[in-house]
Amino acid sequence: MGKNSIVMVKQVPDTANISGQVMRDDGTVNRAKLPAIFNHEDRVALELALRIKDQEGGKITAITMGPPRASDILRECLYMGADEAILISDRKFAGADTLATSYVLSEAIKKIGHYDFIFAGRQAIDGDTAQVGPQTAEKLNIPQITYVEEILETTSKTVKVKRKIDGGFEILESTLPVLMTVLKDACFPRPFKAKRLMAYKNAKTLMELESLTEENSLLYIDRLKEEHIAKNLYIQTLTMDDLQLDITRCGIHGSPTKVHKVESVVLAGGNHETIPPTKEGMANLVAELMDNHILG
Amino acid sequence: MGNNINTDVWVFVEQRSGKPAEVSFELLSKGLKLAENLKGKLKSVVIGSDVKDIAKETFKYGAEEALVVDDPELHNYLTMPYSRILNELVEKHKPRIVLFGATVIGRDLAPRVASHTKSGLTADCTDLQISDVTYLKKEYKDLLLQIRPAFGGNIIATIITPDNEIQMATVREGVMKMEPLSKPVKGKITEVPYTPNGIDHIIRIIDQYRTENKVNLKAAPIIVAGGYGMGTLDNFKLINELAATIGGEVAGSRAAVDAGFVPPERQVGQTGVTVRPKLYIACGISGAIQHRAGMQESNKIIAINTDPEAPIFGVAHYGIVGDAMQIIPMFINAFKEKLR
């Protein structure tokens, strides 16, 4: 008997490479100027799921909540070895904080059902909050293990892992199902398989198929969709209606936290005294520091 | 919002194998100020085994009441029982503010509680303030401003939770000052019984390894930090020499840690330790935002860098443009001369 995994992934702006053009004059970030990438720790999470699948079999479903273009990272999940990818997308999800996001994800997971593991990266680099994993686990009423460094052993009903704690690590054993968030050092994600890349590069969401029909009047959306489903190239999209969600808990309405103000980083100090890089300069500096009891 | 709204400030007091985490006392000191602003009470929540002494210690930081859940079963932190206990307590009492350390435990626990109680939660705050706010043309009194770096530290965001009764935040270690009161508060301990639940031990600890962190950068009055600009591990020895001469601790920027010049536990900055020593000497550190965030509140900062445009000079009190390899030996000599 294989084990089924659901892997939560996120497309994020590449905050590690922020250039001058990306920062506006008022100090805010122009997200549109940032390249969108696959959050690295989520890719590591997918790799851990794949390794379990390699050994025991089972099905891997990659899910993401995001705008239509987030389908890019779902295709990457398929290239790596995920069996199915689902886009959870609706304009009404926009502006979601971690609480609203975890509500939508947990409802989508309930709809998918049948899982032994839920995997996610520890945190996404655009917010660094590390909250969505635990918040989703709480809503599903299942246990969680955060900061996972290594999966040591799985049995039919349990998993044993090594996780980081403050000042060390611990070995935990959990009954399944369990949600795990993983650290970037847990493993090195496999490269795309050429065969899978060729097979899945044409995998499309409904929105992407629709835009194809807009460009070519000879195509009919229903037939196109059927063809893609038959060839296993259809990326399912779940909307608010599909999930029968409570609108007051989605997107900006369901988000208790609001951004009140954003400032560019202000430097403290600023008016430094310039000390000449000479023997005399050092002697004077040391004398001043010692007189003020900062040194000595 | 009605007048009967709760104004209590709660701090989750974290303990690891019976030892309280410093960040919890830092939070109590900050929490006391917030409670004074709100005209509310500061309360601590202590969960563990044999933790009454820790509960009493929170009175030294201004807690008027300690909610204590004390049971041998709770000796080690476990997600399920701890979150269940806190979910129930927060649901019942509805405190105005709940603070957690942004530690592995705090970041594991707080989101579950926020999720359960549908509260707003802001991660990794570096400052907290109480203020009236106008948001979308509506006036709000006494909101918690939750201030945190965002987008890889490139911006500072102020987050509010305007329409929620409960405002939660995790706060980075070392950014709030620990300020014990000269006279402890006469606090009261309220014991909350632990009622076990089948789901509590669905996760079991097989083994735990914790090495006592011998380096305590936060407590060092003098820190000598080196960056990637030191060039080589051999050159970095000068940093050690300077630190040894003037009685300081050695630290490094992230780049210096990545280059292997200095171990990770000595990293200063956003992903390392936040420090505010009496004297911070930055050698060959350009001063990326992430580094400055961890040291700019130092009392005096000396920056040594070959590039006069390096951002580190923006936070420095004394700037020396030049090669650290030549300047450090001159500094060491000057110090030795002066001591003679």
Side-chain angles (χ1 to χ4, degrees):
Chain A
M1 261 281 286
K3 293 216 176 63
N4 296 334
S5 295
I6 294 172
V7 186
M8 306 198 287
V9 297
K10 188 178 185 188
Q11 190 180 46
V12 291
D14 188 3
T15 56
N17 296 304
I18 289 186
S19 63
Q21 307 178 334
V22 174
M23 297 297 287
R24 295 199 187 92
D25 289 342
D26 62 357
T28 59
V29 176
N30 186 356
R31 266 190 193 234
K33 284 260 165 93
L34 282 172
I37 56 169
F38 194 146
N39 186 51
H40 181 72
E41 285 187 331
D42 298 343
R43 204 193 284 270
V44 174
L46 174 58
E47 176 62 31
L48 284 188
L50 287 165
R51 288 183 186 187
I52 291 175
K53 186 191 163 173
D54 290 346
Q55 292 199 345
E56 305 182 38
K59 181 182 172 186
I60 295 176
T61 308
I63 64 172
T64 191
M65 184 182 110
R69 71 167 179 172
S71 62
D72 286 347
I73 62 163
L74 290 176
R75 271 183 288 276
E76 291 189 24
C77 291
L78 294 169
Y79 301 159
M80 276 174 73
D83 299 284
E84 195 183 346
I86 300 175
L87 175 68
I88 304 160
S89 190
D90 199 305
R91 288 208 178 132
K92 298 186 188 83
F93 297 160
D97 72 359
T98 62
L99 188 75
T101 303
S102 68
Y103 167 65
V104 174
L105 287 174
S106 64
E107 291 300 314
I109 289 168
K110 283 179 196 166
K111 191 178 166 84
I112 297 163
H114 303 299
Y115 56 86
D116 300 286
F117 297 107
I118 300 172
F119 283 101
R122 174 195 46 159
Q123 62 192 34
I125 58 167
D126 56 345
D128 293 326
T129 71
Q131 288 172 188
V132 170
Q135 286 182 315
T136 304
E138 174 70 25
K139 287 189 159 49
L140 295 168
N141 199 23
I142 60 168
Q144 76 197 27
I145 306 178
T146 52
Y147 291 82
V148 168
E149 281 184 336
E150 194 182 349
I151 294 179
L152 301 170
E153 191 186 302
T154 56
T155 71
S156 61
K157 289 197 178 81
T158 64
V159 62
K160 197 191 278 182
V161 308
K162 180 181 166 198
R163 79 184 281 258
K164 186 185 127 119
I165 53 175
D166 289 295
F169 63 92
E170 65 186 5
I171 312 291
L172 297 180
E173 187 179 57
S174 176
T175 306
L176 304 179
V178 64
L179 181 147
M180 296 194 271
T181 72
V182 304
L183 294 173
K184 65 172 185 289
D185 296 330
C187 63
F188 193 77
R190 67 192 62 187
F192 302 150
K193 290 197 168 76
K195 228 170 122 185
R196 293 190 68 97
L197 200 147
M198 292 310 289
Y200 288 106
K201 69 177 184 199
N202 294 316
K204 297 263 188 298
T205 62
L206 185 62
M207 279 167 278
E208 287 165 336
L209 294 178
E210 279 169 351
S211 67
L212 284 183
T213 60
E214 278 160 23
E215 288 160 19
N216 185 342
S217 58
L218 293 174
L219 294 171
Y220 294 97
I221 186 67
D222 289 343
R223 195 190 298 164
L224 207 54
K225 186 179 162 186
E226 266 169 43
E227 278 172 19
H228 276 74
I229 292 173
K231 286 190 276 186
N232 200 19
L233 291 176
Y234 184 63
I235 296 175
Q236 197 190 345
T237 305
L238 295 176
T239 62
M240 202 177 84
D241 287 342
D242 296 328
L243 295 168
Q244 296 179 299
L245 299 178
D246 174 358
I247 190 171
T248 64
R249 297 182 65 184
C250 295
I252 201 153
H253 300 293
S255 299
T257 59
K258 314 283 181 196
V259 178
H260 172 50
K261 215 165 49 179
V262 169
E263 298 157 285
S264 54
V265 173
V266 194
L267 301 184
N271 290 327
H272 66 269
E273 185 184 332
T274 305
I275 310 288
T278 58
K279 259 171 89 170
E280 200 192 347
M282 289 309 109
N284 291 337
L285 176 60
V286 166
E288 185 179 331
L289 293 173
M290 287 175 94
D291 289 346
N292 293 326
H293 306 288
I294 288 164
L295 204 59
Chain B
M1 275 190 206
N3 293 325
N4 54 353
I5 198 136
N6 197 323
T7 48
D8 287 351
V9 177
W10 283 18
V11 172
F12 169 73
V13 177
E14 177 176 336
Q15 51 84 21
R16 303 165 193 162
S17 313
K19 250 191 90 185
E22 261 182 33
V23 65
S24 303
F25 299 118
E26 295 165 7
L27 289 184
L28 285 164
S29 295
K30 186 69 190 184
L32 183 62
K33 289 182 190 143
L34 300 177
E36 279 164 2
N37 283 328
L38 289 174
K39 299 183 182 66
K41 288 191 173 116
L42 176 69
K43 294 181 181 179
S44 60
V45 182
V46 190
I47 305 172
S49 166
D50 231 348
V51 288
K52 300 227 175 48
D53 285 341
I54 297 177
K56 281 180 200 150
E57 220 175 320
T58 68
F59 302 150
K60 290 185 200 156
Y61 295 85
E64 289 183 42
E65 185 181 350
L67 298 164
V68 178
V69 190
D70 200 329
D71 194 285
E73 294 272 301
L74 301 171
H75 179 70
N76 281 305
Y77 172 79
L78 280 171
T79 308
M80 295 312 272
Y82 275 59
S83 62
R84 194 173 57 81
I85 289 167
L86 212 52
N87 285 348
E88 288 166 12
L89 284 174
V90 170
E91 219 162 35
K92 187 174 164 202
H93 298 278
K94 297 201 166 44
R96 188 77 181 107
I97 294 173
V98 187
L99 304 178
F100 303 78
T103 58
V104 172
I105 289 177
R107 296 175 105 224
D108 188 79
L109 175 63
R112 282 200 84 115
V113 183
S115 183
H116 188 85
T117 57
K118 302 195 182 79
S119 310
L121 171 65
T122 303
D124 293 356
C125 293
T126 50
D127 194 10
L128 298 169
Q129 294 163 15
I130 301 288
S131 170
D132 294 347
V133 170
T134 309
Y135 181 73
L136 299 181
K137 294 181 184 162
K138 249 177 102 181
E139 310 273 332
Y140 296 89
K141 261 195 88 61
D142 290 340
L143 284 190
L144 180 68
L145 303 187
Q146 301 150 58
I147 298 158
R148 68 173 305 233
F151 265 79
N154 294 279
I155 54 174
I156 298 285
T158 302
I159 311 290
I160 50 171
T161 319
D163 296 313
N164 251 62
E165 266 179 278
I166 306 165
Q167 310 165 93
M168 295 192 183
T170 65
V171 177
R172 293 185 52 98
E173 291 177 87
V175 295
M176 305 296 178
K177 265 187 210 151
M178 198 157 100
E179 293 164 308
L181 303 175
S182 49
K183 234 177 85 187
V185 171
K186 260 183 97 90
K188 110 177 153 189
I189 289 184
T190 304
E191 279 201 65
V192 181
Y194 167 63
T195 42
N197 182 306
I199 204 173
D200 286 357
H201 295 279
I202 205 161
I203 296 181
R204 300 159 292 281
I205 298 176
I206 310 288
D207 226 331
Q208 210 173 58
Y209 304 86
R210 202 173 257 136
T211 44
E212 214 38 56
N213 200 353
K214 288 183 200 78
V215 191
N216 192 357
L217 281 184
K218 279 198 286 177
I222 296 175
I223 292 176
V224 184
Y228 192 68
M230 292 305 294
T232 65
L233 186 58
D234 216 41
N235 291 355
F236 205 88
K237 286 182 185 148
L238 259 184
I239 301 287
N240 301 328
E241 196 187 327
L242 175 56
T245 311
I246 61 176
E249 282 284 353
V250 173
S253 65
R254 166 120 188 219
V257 171
D258 287 347
F261 297 166
V262 61
E265 63 267 25
R266 292 184 181 273
Q267 184 188 324
V268 166
Q270 217 167 65
T271 50
V273 191
T274 302
V275 297
R276 44 161 71 86
K278 213 160 63 165
L279 178 64
Y280 190 93
I281 308 183
C283 311
I285 293 177
S286 64
I289 291 163
Q290 290 82 350
H291 185 76
R292 297 196 311 256
M295 48 66 78
Q296 62 185 356
E297 284 187 40
S298 304
N299 184 33
K300 288 286 178 220
I301 296 167
I302 302 176
I304 305 172
N305 206 295
T306 47
D307 175 9
E309 300 297 321
I312 191 73
F313 289 117
V315 295
H317 302 90
Y318 303 101
I320 307 164
V321 179
D323 184 357
M325 294 306 296
Q326 279 147 29
I327 291 164
I328 295 172
M330 287 195 275
F331 191 98
I332 291 172
N333 283 336
F335 182 77
K336 286 181 176 163
E337 289 277 322
K338 183 88 181 162
L339 275 193
R340 213 178 274 160

